[in-house]
Amino acid sequence: MRFLFIVQGEGRGHMTQAIAFYHLLRSQGHEVCGIIVGKSKRREIPDFFSREIKAPIHLVDSPNFVADKKQKKILLGKTIRKNALMAPTFWKSLKTIHQVVESRNPDVILNFYDLLGGLYNFLFRPNSRFWVIGHQYLIHHPEFIFAKGKPWDKFLFQLNTHLTALGAVQVLALSFLPKNDLINSKFRVVPPLLRKEVRKLEVKTEDFFLAYMVNPGYGEEVLAFAKSNPLVKIKAYWDKKSAKPIEYPLPNLSFHRVNDQTFLQDMAACKGLACTAGFESVCEAMYLSKPVLMIPVAGQYEQACNALDGEASGAGIASNSFDFSLLEKAEKKDTKVSFQFHQWVDSWPNILSELIVSAEQESGVKNPDGEFDSSPVFG
């Protein structure tokens, strides 16, 4: 089958998921005929993305969060206003997506949680089947844990998730742990998507903590902790455009521009990981049996939910700040639990085979009205 990806470019998580799914498809003889990535002025598309995926990559302007001046907290009001004013630009992006889809003619469009993906499928009605994948879709499962006390943020999170999946005929909800699927056969709980490099790493424990910040403003917190705790060694990674490849503000602290290879090597060697609560980084640490301190990005409700889900799944500790002393107290992962998590992650080849067989069967089965049965889950 021929797949075309639409990938949200905010942070690295959706891009690493796309890389993993690309290699998974290729291993079973399927083709990825193109990648559309929603770009952001705040971040660059990392080199490892184009290096790992051997398919044409098209960049389009896509809705993104607006952060405060310190590049730390997400400002929801300004995010909504700015993206609304950019509606004409996003319409051009939708037409660009349509041109790519028409020229590539994929069997399946797979959306990695980009808002334009859902809007494109709803407005342009392509002949391709429309699938969506992401941890966010787990909100439709009765066991999902919502952060309390923020009803407006919760509503916007649910609305955005719904819009990204408009007209989807297959919803793949990434989950830390296995859960029972819902009655709707088009909704499926699936394992995290981890790149093959993670599985090949040699796990050891050296005398340093690792940090990852999706917003560079959190660097001030890490710097403050390192100053107050000179005996604690920290390697911190961030996605700051103006930063040098490596900076050494203190003898016990270094800041590194995001590099997929060195970051994973350091994760395999660290005592524990402190990170903003992105799903993918937490899963990588779980696979390597490293305790995780999860700090939700301020103003980003989705990450508050991620931290609660990660804590309930045994990934580590949820916190409001980069307090590495909490990691000092964290226990190493139980061997049995780690083995079960490995089995869950490694079950992807069988799951993909089942999805492909189901898609092929559905594409050839007509409903009683004589039309192909491709009823969407949402929209």
Side-chain angles (χ1 to χ4, degrees):
M1 297 185 73
R2 286 167 58 84
F3 283 75
L4 184 140
F5 292 176
I6 301 176
V7 186
Q8 186 199 118
E10 186 87 11
R12 64 185 279 272
H14 298 287
M15 285 184 279
T16 58
Q17 290 167 11
I19 290 171
F21 208 88
Y22 168 83
H23 288 294
L24 187 61
L25 287 169
R26 292 295 300 250
S27 70
Q28 296 194 7
H30 303 290
E31 178 187 357
V32 177
C33 58
I35 313 283
I36 297 168
V37 181
K39 63 182 180 180
S40 167
K41 290 184 178 180
R42 292 197 298 142
R43 297 185 178 90
E44 296 177 346
I45 303 300
D47 292 337
F48 70 80
F49 187 72
S50 56
R51 185 181 70 242
E52 289 286 336
I53 293 185
K54 305 303 179 184
I57 298 176
H58 309 267
L59 302 181
V60 298
D61 289 301
S62 179
N64 281 281
F65 286 116
V66 176
D68 61 10
K69 292 181 179 180
K70 293 184 177 181
Q71 290 294 298
K72 184 176 180 181
K73 182 179 180 180
I74 297 299
L75 304 175
L76 281 180
K78 286 190 175 182
T79 294
I80 294 170
R81 290 194 295 273
K82 181 179 179 180
N83 287 317
L85 292 172
M86 291 185 66
T89 299
F90 298 148
W91 178 248
K92 291 180 181 178
S93 295
L94 290 172
K95 291 195 289 186
T96 298
I97 293 173
H98 189 56
Q99 291 172 358
V100 175
V101 171
E102 290 283 287
S103 65
R104 300 294 174 183
N105 191 29
D107 298 303
V108 176
I109 298 172
L110 179 58
N111 186 27
F112 291 82
Y113 203 67
D114 194 284
L115 178 59
L116 291 185
L119 294 178
Y120 168 73
N121 188 60
F122 179 75
L123 295 171
F124 287 78
R125 304 288 180 175
N127 294 324
S128 310
R129 299 176 67 78
F130 185 61
W131 295 7
V132 296
I133 188 167
H135 180 241
Q136 294 85 349
Y137 301 113
L138 205 62
I139 66 171
H140 300 290
H141 198 282
E143 295 179 14
F144 186 79
I145 305 172
F146 286 99
K148 296 180 179 179
K150 297 181 179 181
W152 175 240
D153 292 28
K154 177 181 177 181
F155 168 76
L156 291 176
F157 174 42
Q158 291 175 309
L159 176 62
N160 187 72
T161 300
H162 178 79
L163 293 176
T164 65
L166 285 173
V169 298
Q170 184 69 69
V171 174
L172 305 175
L174 300 172
S175 176
F176 290 115
L177 298 175
K179 298 181 186 294
N180 293 327
D181 288 328
L182 303 181
I183 297 175
N184 190 331
S185 63
K186 300 181 188 297
F187 177 95
R188 181 157 186 170
V189 178
V190 295
L193 281 164
L194 301 187
R195 292 169 291 162
K196 61 182 184 297
E197 289 83 0
V198 178
R199 299 180 177 89
K200 297 178 181 179
L201 291 168
E202 178 186 354
V203 180
K204 52 188 176 181
T205 303
E206 297 181 3
D207 187 26
F208 72 92
F209 289 112
L210 184 66
Y212 171 69
M213 298 155 286
V214 68
N215 286 350
Y218 284 94
E220 295 179 5
E221 280 191 20
V222 176
L223 180 63
F225 182 91
K227 280 184 177 179
S228 301
N229 299 270
L231 298 181
V232 178
K233 297 179 181 179
I234 302 170
K235 289 186 179 181
Y237 283 77
W238 57 5
D239 192 8
K240 186 177 181 180
K241 278 187 174 182
S242 60
K244 297 178 182 178
I246 305 178
E247 298 178 5
Y248 296 92
L250 295 171
N252 62 323
L253 173 64
S254 57
F255 283 107
H256 306 250
R257 284 283 299 273
V258 172
N259 178 295
D260 64 315
Q261 295 177 345
T262 58
F263 177 73
L264 289 179
Q265 290 168 2
D266 285 336
M267 188 185 294
C270 71
K271 295 194 293 184
L273 169 69
C275 63
T276 42
F279 178 75
E280 204 63 20
S281 296
V282 176
C283 289
E284 290 170 347
M286 288 179 71
Y287 195 85
L288 298 171
S289 300
K290 302 295 182 177
V292 190
L293 183 68
M294 296 164 284
I295 303 95
V297 171
Q300 194 166 345
Y301 182 79
E302 169 193 332
Q303 289 217 347
C305 296
N306 282 355
L308 293 175
D309 192 15
E311 193 170 49
S313 301
I317 305 166
S319 175
N320 292 321
S321 64
F322 279 82
D323 183 358
F324 293 85
S325 64
L326 297 174
L327 275 177
E328 291 274 17
K329 305 171 186 176
E331 296 181 1
K332 191 175 181 179
K333 297 295 177 187
D334 180 82
T335 304
K336 183 178 179 180
V337 173
S338 295
F339 178 72
Q340 291 172 340
F341 183 71
H342 281 216
Q343 285 185 311
W344 174 230
V345 171
D346 295 340
S347 65
W348 252 116
N350 291 335
I351 292 173
L352 178 60
S353 297
E354 293 172 7
L355 290 169
I356 296 295
V357 169
S358 177
E360 291 174 341
Q361 290 175 344
E362 288 180 6
S363 65
V365 177
K366 292 185 178 181
N367 64 27
D369 296 324
E371 298 178 351
F372 287 107
D373 180 12
S374 59
S375 53
V377 183
F378 308 115

